[in-house]
Structures are given as structure tokens and as C-alpha cells.
Amino acid sequence: MSLTVAVSGASGYAGGEVLRLLLSHPEVEIGAITAHSNAGERLGALQPHLHALADRILQETTAEVLAGHDVVFLALPHGASGAIAAELELLSPGTLVIDAGADHRLQSPQAWERFYGSDHAGTWPYGLPELPGQRAEIAGASRIAVPGCYPTTCLLALAPGFTAGVLAPEDVVIVAASGTSGAGKSLKPHLLGSEAMGSMSPYGVGGGHRHTPEIEQGLTQAAGEPVTVSFTPTLAPMPRGILATATARLKPGVDAAEVRAAWEQAYGEEQFVHLLPEGQWPTTQSVLGSNHVVMQLAVDEHAGRVIITAALDNLTKGTAGGAIQSMNLALGLAEETGLTQQGIAP
Amino acid sequence: MSLTVAVSGASGYAGGEVLRLLLSHPEVEIGAITAHSNAGERLGALQPHLHALADRILQETTAEVLAGHDVVFLALPHGASGAIAAELELLSPGTLVIDAGADHRLQSPQAWERFYGSDHAGTWPYGLPELPGQRAEIAGASRIAVPGCYPTTCLLALAPGFTAGVLAPEDVVIVAASGTSGAGKSLKPHLLGSEAMGSMSPYGVGGGHRHTPEIEQGLTQAAGEPVTVSFTPTLAPMPRGILATATARLKPGVDAAEVRAAWEQAYGEEQFVHLLPEGQWPTTQSVLGSNHVVMQLAVDEHAGRVIITAALDNLTKGTAGGAIQSMNLALGLAEETGLTQQGIAP
Amino acid sequence: MSLTVAVSGASGYAGGEVLRLLLSHPEVEIGAITAHSNAGERLGALQPHLHALADRILQETTAEVLAGHDVVFLALPHGASGAIAAELELLSPGTLVIDAGADHRLQSPQAWERFYGSDHAGTWPYGLPELPGQRAEIAGASRIAVPGCYPTTCLLALAPGFTAGVLAPEDVVIVAASGTSGAGKSLKPHLLGSEAMGSMSPYGVGGGHRHTPEIEQGLTQAAGEPVTVSFTPTLAPMPRGILATATARLKPGVDAAEVRAAWEQAYGEEQFVHLLPEGQWPTTQSVLGSNHVVMQLAVDEHAGRVIITAALDNLTKGTAGGAIQSMNLALGLAEETGLTQQGIAP
Amino acid sequence: MSLTVAVSGASGYAGGEVLRLLLSHPEVEIGAITAHSNAGERLGALQPHLHALADRILQETTAEVLAGHDVVFLALPHGASGAIAAELELLSPGTLVIDAGADHRLQSPQAWERFYGSDHAGTWPYGLPELPGQRAEIAGASRIAVPGCYPTTCLLALAPGFTAGVLAPEDVVIVAASGTSGAGKSLKPHLLGSEAMGSMSPYGVGGGHRHTPEIEQGLTQAAGEPVTVSFTPTLAPMPRGILATATARLKPGVDAAEVRAAWEQAYGEEQFVHLLPEGQWPTTQSVLGSNHVVMQLAVDEHAGRVIITAALDNLTKGTAGGAIQSMNLALGLAEETGLTQQGIAP
């Protein structure tokens, strides 16, 4: 099989990562590469790590340019995917469209409007295959919403406990640290190396972060009852990686062995998600550039809480790798095709 | 006034920071500088940033060498302070002894033995002046236990809410990130730059961290009832700094204005602890090398929790700066003497 | 004595560092604090590490606002100092004006015009007291040009060898690494933390860097004959610090002892510049936030070259600390007043 | 084809990188994985990024364990390869042995003994295919010496100029910055994250670095006359990457176009070595984890020098990637097999 694949938003970090991974995908031929303000420039000047594509020129992101490919990845600013997806539906109805942006993740138009302030573009199948029942939804889909990088981490960390019924739904607390690439290539002073290196800081504290409704949506689905989350993201002095510390109250009468069994059962057969052996803690370095997720859990009987710590690469499993994993599923390819790279360490 | 001050453990990070700050203290003359395995070496080879003391030779850490000074700082491994403090009591009864180690922080011998596995050396006045009533206890003391760096951060973040009665005591959750110097100058693979840079990882998860009983001790005292804490420390890719994200359930009927008022009242007159203006978040960079603490809070009504984020320098306010602040109080000096350095940024 | 001091360009990195150091200066009262695009904002929002000045509001940078102070620091973009200095001369003739920008460093109008592309504003006394004869020029001056951070490092590294006549002038090669703050608070993609962390890169290679004529000017003066320099700056993944590796050919017949003696003689009495003991190499960490410079030299007989490596903090000794050191000299204060802070390590 | 490959020294950084890359190699089956002090441990505990091999147990490094494989990689401490290679010659004569250590790189036994202090183990074909004539030497070899990471960078940077006769041989000056993984997993204080982060420092200055004779050997071969090098390595605050700034005097009468043509001709057909378009500078980030090398050059007519800056990943092209590239050549595989990963950025 040789699939033609177009990538929009190719001058940004998410688009660059999609291209990096597609270059290792044996069934893919890279077609149009597009951007908006950088259209007309050499890709090598903007993404100098993509040596194989250095001489490609960025085209303008339009439905016409993207049409006709087997697969189109949208890596656009929030709010921009809806319109172009609608155009593609007319121009290129057989194309698989994968949206790495937020536009099609939320089921609730109200939640979308409250957190993003624009009209809701609709809900697409949610591209997180390791959630219960999700593989079936992705297989054969023609539209896929790539989960946010924080939600991917938090849902993978917590869902097994809600699916197995060992966690109480009412008071989940998550604190997560992300590398700076999670903020995109935004020219803001606090993202300058001089200010980000050697410094940690929180942001979007107190329920205001856009990823909270997406996390609650996924956990509520796993639990079968409403789950409430307090989510605090922090910015860490590293380019990539998310480490989430997720805690939930233990349901009465549940013991530590049942807790561990829930995660073992959920991920025992998964090739990208690993519950580490007891005594070993996840590090973001061990997943750098890979589609893997590592996690560990502990039952704190004193505090009555389960603590799950999980690490992934926000641009790979958290964005582009997860997107390609879903693409493979949707197209009937082996799920790991093109995603066999290990972490880069040290 | 000119005080002679001895510093033990001077080849380590805590001892080095005590010396750095004492060099800016106008009332201090530095006397003996001691170490154990590095005794006999030039300080300049071990602490090359202390230019003013580069040619001093480290003496062996013994009670005889430390005796006769007005003040002695102990920056020794956990468990080593008790014996030398007892000897100093005999040899040099008028000396103010300040223990930067853990030995004299805990009130409960049981807690000490459970977490440290040795005999409890006793409890000394707790050197955190910003806690209610603590200044009086420190003033005139001849023995001071310097709080741990995580407890300093967590107690300053949360105590005002418990003192004011706006926080529920039963389910406090704290996740904190520390720079690598918090682990000391230990030669362990995960502390190598190659492995620590660009990586975040948790450790001591699930109630096992030694700082948990110290945090609970202080919060219980502030609340007047038992406070239970789930505390997860993480290692961040920076040499210095702690960012704590501390959350507690709001007591029923309390509103956001009351919450904010509790912290404003607690720290309005403090010179080192700052509740930032609304909308501004703490960064560890803004306190680097200084004795300052910055914090912000948010009431998450959706989750029913207050979230306080606080940043300090683990070696300065978290260890050596806090120690000197207590020294000043104990000796009747203005509390900020020698501690007026601002943060180093960017 | 109490001097009133105004600082312009206070929202930038150089201006912020001048303020940080002035806050530790016992003879200074901080007057006007000014900026251009940030005028009207709270300093605490822009320089959150300057806790003591958090509530000060930035004024607009005009000669009227700056006039009437004993000292004015100009930390403005290149090319902007000349006009405001001329206005100050009229409005406030007794004010000591210290220019942290490049405008008044070069003696040659031709060199200025070639590298900066505008009219030359004139030449002021060069504020590098450790160069031979320079203290006399600074003492009593009413105008001081603060050297560039790279030239400060390179001149201190090499001048003793040219003064003593042990180095050949015709083929000096310097490669220097600077932390990102050397590029200022510029919103450019390659300065984003995501791109700067974990990466090294050169820039301005091949004679095009603006600091080359300033380095040659100083070395030529020390040598008494024209010195030619190949200078390559690189960007290093750290916020602060410069490490320069400077090499020059040994003059025929000179031996290693004579070489070392030249530096020992030049800096034996200096309090801020240190030739380290043999076997110890400079680190930028050991001078972080301090006005100190550390260096080491080696004679490579095989290659016929002397290699001097020197480290300083680009914002402290390389900019603001050097500026205050010159201010002290010009005003008859002890040279180290307000500059006694040690390095911050680890 | 399916080759069985054994890797010794698998607990170290070089051995881990060989394994990482072999896992992406389509013709390879990983056989024995060995170590010395870590024999008997789970690989997942030591190299947690190698998810696919997490449950493999390290065997003891002996000739018996390594024998019988098609290829054996030696990633051992300097001086340890000679003996085991001799044993393998007897036990397993058909095995291709690739030494990632220094033992078999130097042609001169005198140079080896002076810099390494032990008996010279012999000289093997030098595994740097991009040097003139080197591919022929590697093709069909049964023993390959992997070049050092600094020599790989410096030789690729400078060789075209000597081959083409545009550079003068007598006064080459190189300053290179390396990430900390270049020092291996050594438990030394200056390699701790607390001391390495945010700091740059030189080491081995003045001709003492072991890589100098290897660089001179390669350049002398390219020039056809003796080349003398002054080489200064520095340690940069990043886990991986080398940036070399290499300068040499221009031969009289050579112009800039001839210089550029020399590099264009040398690398125009190479798939891993790239002379960047004019105006674009190399960054170590753009080659992270890849087998690529990027470089740029400038002719500084004022100083009479050519400056070449080159970046690679010290563990990939600088060690394990280069080793696998040579393995491919020796075995008649396409040179890029298993090495098609792009850089990881940001």
C-alpha cells in the first residue's frame, strides 16, 4: 500500500512532528506540506531537523491543496479546523481527515463554547485507542479527533481505575508538568529560553484550563458516572515531555492488589502503554520522541488515595504519534506501523 | 556586633549556601569551616563560587573545632546532628546551634523512627518565622531546627487557610517539583546531568517521603485538628527551586473572598512571603538565590478546592536563608539582615 | 553619601540587572525607572524577581524624567543612547551618564558605521577598570561606555599577554559561548526555550559580529600594535554566562613560566578577576550573578599557542556589574561597593 | 538477511544507543546483550527507554557469550577491547567486530602509549565512510574502529578543505562543545545535573586531550602533509550533541568560491552530511538522535581564516550511528539501512 498524506500547519511543532514520524512510516508517501504565514518558504529553514524534506517548499493551506490525498492531517490553531474540514468533505469525500487541534474533541457544544468562545464544529471519533471500546470506534472512521496531550496522559493514567470501579469519582486531583513545546511556537516572553530554562511555573490554575472538560469527559465515560477533576498544569524547563501526577480517592473496601490488577488488566496487552515494575518510576526522558507511555502507581493508605504518575512525549504519543496510531487503525494497518522508535536517552 | 560563625558540612550544597549568604551578612565573621571526607582540601576546589573564601582549608567536623563560636550551623547527613549537638552543649554551652538537617524537626519520636530508622535526637524550636506564633519561639532560642525545603514551601502555602479555618483538613493533596540540588551532592546515576536534564520524574510516591510527617505536623498545628496529606515530590530539570501545587477542599460556606483574605492577612506584613497580584503566577526563576517566596491561589468552585501554588529556592529560603533568618531572630538582629538579595533573573 | 540613580530600559534584561545590583548598593537610592513600550506598567509584572520594587510603575524614557539624578544608566537599544545623552548634557550637566549600550564604545567612526549602519555618537571612557591605565580614565569621568559582554570576557582573557609582550598579534582565534540572555528579551523563534534548550549553535560567524572591532580595539591598545582577531560567538543552552576560549600564538622564545607570570602580575591584586590555581578550570556556574571572572591558561607547545579560557556572567560583570564598578570609580567610592555577592551555585 | 548481533557494554550510554538503533534495523536480530558490573540485571532498569528490550537480562561480557554472532559491538572502557577481540578471533573467526572504544583507532603505537598509557592493541580500518577512500577500506572489513565523537565532527568539518588544498596545515584551531553524555555514565560531581545544568566549562585544554592525535592523524592523511591542531573541548549543559568550531588559515590565493566548492564537492552526494544553504547555521537540536551532520562555513577575509561550524549527535553519528553505518558497508547492505530517523526537534 502507498498512501498519499498531506500535512497542514507544517511550520509548527505538531505539524513538524507529524512529518518526522511519517518519514519513518513504510506505507506513506508525503504529499502536500502546507502552512499559512510561512507559505512559500523552504521547509529546511523552518524544520531543520527534517533533513529528508529540507528542499520542499511550503504551500498555502487551502482545501484545494489538501484535497485528493488519502489522508490529511490538520495541525491548525484551535477553531480553524471546522471550516477546512467542511470544504474537504465536498472536495475530497474519500479522504481520511485527522484533526490534531481541539475543534472536534468535545461532545458538549456548551463546554466548547465556554472554554473556546466560538461555535462548536462538531464531535469526531476520539483517537485514543487504549480507552475501552475506542479501537472499534476508530477502525473505519473517516474523521478522527486527536486528543489533547494533557488529556491523553491523564486519561491513560486514570481510566483503568474508573473502568474497574476502584476509584471514587468525586474528587480527582491532577497536577501535570509539560515541556515548553506544549505551548507551541508562540513568541511570548515567558516562553523564551532565558525565562523558561531553570524555572517552573503554573498556569491556567483553578479550573480554567481548556483541557479540564476533555479530561472529565473521558473519565466520566470510563466511570459511567460524572467525574470531577481539579487539574493544574505547570510549565517545566524542558522542550518535550509531560509528567502527570494523578490522584483519586480509593473506593471503600478496595485493596492495593485490586488496584494494581486494574491497570495490569487494562495495559497488559498494550504495546505502547506500560505499567512499570514496582519500584521503578516513570521519567519523561525514557519516552522522548517515542509513542510510548510509562506509568507507576502507589496506594497511599494513610491518605486514602491512589497516586498514578505517567510520562509521555507531548508531541509524539501526546499528538503526532497518537494521530498516526489512529490513522493506522482507521486504515486497517497494524497499529504500530511507523511507530516503532524507542525513546532517545540519555 | 561581630558574631563568629562556624559552618560544618561545608563541602555540600546546604553548607555552601550558608557560607554564600553569611558572606553578605554585615554582622558575621566566618570562623571554622568543616567537612568530613573533604577535610584538608581548599574550599575553592569544592565551592568555586565562593571567591572570597577560595583559599580557606576545610577542617575536620568535630565538636572541638566548632566550639567557641557564637553560632554553629550543622549541615550534616540526617542522623549525624544529635551526637555533635550533645557534645557542643558541654563544650560550648553559650553557642547558638542551628541544625539544617532533619534530626530535630519532628515532635513525634515514633514518626522519626518510622521514617528515618534511628533513635530520635529530640525536638528543637522550628525555624519558620512566618508560621503563627513561631517568631516568639525562635527569639532567644539557643537551638533551632531548620525546616525541610518541601515543608517550608508547603506550610507557607497552606497554613493561612488552616489558621483561618477556610480549608477542610481531611484530604490535602500536594504535588511539588524540586530542582536537583534538593537531592544533595549524591553520586547517583539519575542525578547525572545526562539523565536529569530534560526529564521529569516522581519519587517517594505514596506516603513514603520523609517530609510528609513534617508537613502534617505543621498543618495540624495550624488547623488545631489532624490534617492528612497526600504528598508527591518530583524531580525537575533545574539545579534549584521548588514549585509546590497544594490543594485542599474548601470548607462549606466559604467564599473566594474569604479565602484570599486569609492569605492576605497572613502575609500582608511579611517581607519575604508574597501573595502575588491576581493574574500573576509564581515562577521559581523569580526567587533564585533569594530568601523570597511567591505564591498565588485560585478557588476552583467546580472541583470544590483551593489551589495554592508557591515557589521558593530550596537552598535559600528552603534551607540556608531560612536558617539565617532564624539566627537573626534568635540573636535579636533585624530579621532580614544579610538576606536582602533579590532573585537572579533571567 | 546617598546617590539618586535613574535606570532606563528597565523592562529589559540589562536594565533589570542594573536594578538588582543597585538594590544591594549601600550608597544608592533608586529614582526614576523608565521604559518605552512598557511605560505605565508595574515593574513586578515585568521583573518579578525584583521583589523590593514590585509596586513601582515604569515611566516613559525621556531626558526630562532622567534629568536631576546623580547617575543615569542607559540600557537602551543600540543607536538610541546618543540623542538622549545629548539632551541630558543640556538638562542635567552634573549627572554621571553610564551607557550600557554599544553607542559610545568604539573609537573609530568608520568601524561604528560599518557594523551598526548609523552615525557614530562619539567615544566615551571605556569602563573596564582591569585594563592597564583604565582606572585613571574612569575615575572622575562624567560619561562611561560599558564594554560589551563578549569584549569584557575576551579582553580580560587576552590583554595581559599582549601587555607583557608574550603573544603574537597576527592570528588570535576566539570562540565564545553565551547564554541566551545575551540576545536580550527578543521574541525570535530560535530564542524560544523549546528551541534553545538542549541545543548549541553559532551565529555571526566570519567577522560579521559587532563585537569583533571592539575586541580588536582593546587588544591593539594593549599590544601597542594592530591585533587581528577571528571571533566566533555561539549560543549555549543556559540563561546566563559566557565561556570564552581565546588562543593566540606564542611569541618566539617565550616559555610557559613567563606566560603564567604575565597573568599573575596583571590580576594578582584584582578582587574580581581570578587566575585559578593550575588544574582547576573555570565554570560559568561559579560566577552566576556575581561580578567575578575566573580564568585558566595553558601553553600548548605542540601547537605553539596559548589557550586562555575565561568565564563571567554576561549580565553582571559583562554588563550591569561592570557598569556599577565603573560608577563607583567615577564617584570615588570603593570599587567593590554593592558588588560583593558571590556566585550562585549549584 | 537476518544478522545476529551482540552488544557488549549495554548498560552504558554508547551501548544503549547501539541497541536503540539496532531495534530500528530491518536486517538485525539482537542476540546477546552484555555488561560487567550490571550483569544479571534487567535491561529495563538500566535503559528504560528501550521498551522493546525491557525484560532482557544482561549477561556477563565474555568472549564465549559474544562468540557465534554475525556482528559484535564492543562498547567497553578504553583498553578493554584488545584482549576480548583477540579471544573472539580464535573462538568466532567469521564475526564482524566493531569497536566503539578508542583502542584500535590510532595508527601510531607511540601516540597511543603517550595518551592512554597502555600497550597499543593495533590499528583497524577507520569507520568514517565520508572520508576520501574510506568506503573501500570499510567494505568487506572484518574489524572496524569507530572514530571518536570529537574526531568524527572535526574530520568531517575540515577534511574537504585539506583534500582540496585550500587550507594551510600549520595552525588549525578547534573549539568544540559537547553534551554531558560524551563523558559517559561516570559518577563524578561535575557531571551531576546540579553542577552541569546552566554551566559551561573547558577541560583537557592545552593539547592533553586524547582526541587530538586522532584528529591530527585524519587531517594529515587528508592533507598529505602534517597538520597541527590546537583542540579545546568544552562541556555544555545538554545531554547530547557536539558543536565544533573549526578554523584554519586560508592558503594564499584561494578565494571564497573555491572554498565553498571544496565542501560542496565532498558532500554533495552524501546522505548524512549536509553543507547548509548560506545564511543558515547548524544547531545540535536539528540532529538529535539522528545520523546526520550539518555544517556551515564562512571565509573571514579580515582574519585570513576559514571557519567551519559542524553539529552532530555524539551518541548517534558520533558513535553508534556511525558504527552501524560502517557495519552496513562491511556487510554489503545499503549504507543507510536502519539509520533513516530524522532529528528530534524541538
Side-chain angles (χ1 to χ4, degrees), chain A residues 88-125:
Chain A
L88 276 172
E89 192 133 16
L90 296 173
L91 281 177
S92 193
T95 295
L96 168 63
V97 181
I98 300 179
D99 186 2
D103 297 29
H104 302 94
R105 293 173 191 159
L106 292 184
Q107 290 160 7
S108 157
Q110 293 76 23
W112 174 269
E113 282 157 24
R114 184 152 52 89
F115 283 87
Y116 292 89
S118 61
D119 286 348
H120 188 220
T123 309
W124 289 359

Side-chain angles (χ1 to χ4, degrees), chain C:
Chain C
M1 187 192 308
S2 184
L3 302 157
T4 60
V5 180
V7 178
S8 65
S11 59
Y13 294 154
E17 185 76 349
V18 170
L19 286 169
R20 180 179 78 84
L21 294 172
L22 289 177
L23 282 166
S24 293
H25 196 293
E27 312 290 346
V28 158
E29 187 185 338
I30 296 175
I33 304 179
T34 79
H36 180 56
S37 56
N38 296 110
E41 295 185 42
R42 233 178 119 256
L43 189 65
L46 295 160
Q47 306 276 21
H49 62 297
L50 301 176
H51 308 282
L53 299 171
D55 294 324
R56 293 284 293 268
I57 303 298
L58 288 166
Q59 295 178 263
E60 178 70 35
T61 302
T62 64
E64 287 71 23
V65 168
L66 298 174
H69 294 82
D70 296 310
V71 184
V72 167
F73 285 90
L74 302 178
L76 305 175
H78 299 319
S81 304
I84 207 155
E87 287 187 75
L88 276 172
E89 191 134 17
L90 296 173
L91 281 177
S92 192
T95 294
L96 169 62
V97 181
I98 300 179
D99 186 2
D103 298 28
H104 301 93
R105 292 172 192 160
L106 292 185
Q107 289 160 7
S108 154
Q110 291 77 19
W112 174 268
E113 282 156 26
R114 183 153 53 90
F115 282 87
Y116 292 88
S118 61
D119 286 348
H120 189 221
T123 309
W124 288 359
Y126 194 71
L128 192 45
E130 291 88 354
L131 291 185
Q134 211 57 28
R135 276 195 175 86
E137 203 183 325
I138 299 166
S142 66
R143 294 289 180 271
I144 295 165
V146 181
C149 49
Y150 280 125
T152 296
T153 323
C154 299
L155 293 177
L156 291 175
L158 286 166
F162 287 109
T163 305
V166 301
L167 299 179
E170 67 271 4
D171 192 18
V172 174
V173 177
I174 306 173
V175 178
S178 172
T180 52
S181 64
K185 208 187 265 192
S186 321
L187 297 176
K188 295 179 184 161
H190 77 287
L191 297 176
L192 287 174
S194 298
E195 313 204 11
M197 282 188 276
S199 194
M200 287 208 65
S201 55
Y203 62 100
V205 181
H209 196 279
R210 290 167 165 185
H211 282 164
T212 306
E214 188 182 341
I215 297 168
E216 291 190 341
Q217 168 180 294
L219 294 181
T220 294
Q221 204 159 319
E225 56 181 329
V227 175
T228 309
V229 173
S230 159
F231 173 64
T232 303
T234 66
L235 194 65
M238 55 191 191
R240 290 177 175 231
I242 287 179
L243 178 74
T245 300
T247 82
R249 298 194 62 80
L250 205 54
K251 277 205 172 162
V254 175
D255 69 19
E258 285 172 86
V259 171
R260 196 158 187 96
W263 274 259
E264 282 170 350
Q265 190 174 328
Y267 299 132
E269 305 296 311
E270 290 294 343
Q271 56 189 320
F272 291 124
V273 183
H274 314 277
L275 179 64
L276 293 171
E278 292 193 61
Q280 186 174 355
W281 298 99
T283 71
T284 62
Q285 190 184 57
S286 67
V287 292
L288 179 71
S290 84
N291 203 49
H292 291 269
V293 184
V294 286
M295 64 179 69
Q296 184 54 280
L297 61 82
V299 176
D300 182 345
E301 286 176 13
H302 170 71
R305 284 194 167 257
V306 181
I307 298 124
I308 306 101
T309 55
L312 53 68
D313 185 319
N314 57 303
L315 289 177
T316 319
K317 177 62 176 169
T319 305
I324 289 170
Q325 187 182 350
S326 287
M327 175 192 88
N328 289 337
L329 265 171
L331 298 174
L333 296 169
E335 198 170 319
E336 72 276 16
T337 313
L339 296 172
T340 55
Q341 297 184 28
Q342 307 293 304
I344 311 278

Side-chain angles (χ1 to χ4, degrees), chain A residues 1 8 10 29 62 93 115 172 217:
Chain A
M1 185 190 312
S8 65
E29 187 185 338
T62 65
F115 283 87
V172 175
Q217 168 181 296

Side-chain angles (χ1 to χ4, degrees), chain A residues 226-341:
Chain A
V227 175
T228 310
V229 173
S230 159
F231 173 65
T232 303
T234 65
L235 194 67
M238 53 192 192
R240 289 177 175 231
I242 287 179
L243 178 75
T245 301
T247 83
R249 298 194 63 79
L250 206 53
K251 276 204 172 163
V254 175
D255 68 18
E258 286 172 85
V259 170
R260 195 157 187 97
W263 273 259
E264 281 170 349
Q265 191 174 327
Y267 300 133
E269 304 297 310
E270 292 293 345
Q271 55 190 321
F272 291 125
V273 183
H274 313 277
L275 179 63
L276 294 171
E278 291 192 62
Q280 186 173 354
W281 298 100
T283 70
T284 63
Q285 190 185 55
S286 66
V287 292
L288 180 71
S290 85
N291 203 48
H292 291 269
V293 184
V294 286
M295 61 179 71
Q296 184 53 281
L297 60 80
V299 176
D300 182 347
E301 286 175 11
H302 171 69
R305 284 194 167 257
V306 181
I307 298 122
I308 306 99
T309 53
L312 54 67
D313 185 319
N314 57 303
L315 289 178
T316 320
K317 177 62 176 167
T319 305
I324 288 169
Q325 188 182 351
S326 287
M327 176 192 86
N328 289 337
L329 266 170
L331 297 174
L333 296 169
E335 199 171 320
E336 71 277 16
T337 314
L339 297 171
T340 54
Q341 296 184 26

Side-chain angles (χ1 to χ4, degrees), chain A residues 171 194 216 285 302 305, chain B residues 171 194 216 249 285 302 305:
Chain A
D171 193 18
S194 298
E216 291 188 341
Q285 190 185 55
H302 171 69
R305 284 194 167 257
Chain B
D171 194 18
S194 298
E216 291 190 341
R249 298 195 63 79
Q285 190 185 57
H302 171 69
R305 285 193 167 258

Side-chain angles (χ1 to χ4, degrees), chain A residues 170-171 173 175 177 194-207 212 216 228-232 234 236-240 243 245 247 249 281-286 298-303 305 307 309 311 346, chain B residues 170-171 173 175 177 194-207 212 216 228-232 234 236-240 243 245 247 249 281-286 298-303 305 307 309 311 346:
Chain A
E170 67 271 2
D171 193 18
V173 177
V175 178
S194 298
E195 314 204 10
M197 281 189 276
S199 194
M200 287 207 65
S201 55
Y203 62 98
V205 182
T212 306
E216 291 188 341
T228 310
V229 173
S230 159
F231 173 65
T232 303
T234 65
M238 53 192 192
R240 289 177 175 231
L243 178 75
T245 301
T247 83
R249 298 194 63 79
W281 298 100
T283 70
T284 63
Q285 190 185 55
S286 66
V299 176
D300 182 347
E301 286 175 11
H302 171 69
R305 284 194 167 257
I307 298 122
T309 53
Chain B
E170 66 272 2
D171 194 18
V173 176
V175 178
S194 298
E195 313 205 9
M197 280 189 277
S199 194
M200 287 207 65
S201 55
Y203 61 99
V205 182
T212 306
E216 291 190 341
T228 308
V229 172
S230 160
F231 173 65
T232 303
T234 65
M238 54 192 191
R240 288 178 176 230
L243 179 75
T245 301
T247 83
R249 298 195 63 79
W281 298 99
T283 69
T284 62
Q285 190 185 57
S286 67
V299 176
D300 181 346
E301 286 176 11
H302 171 69
R305 285 193 167 258
I307 297 121
T309 54

Side-chain angles (χ1 to χ4, degrees), chain A residues 158-171:
Chain A
L158 286 165
F162 286 110
T163 304
V166 300
L167 299 180
E170 67 271 2
D171 193 18

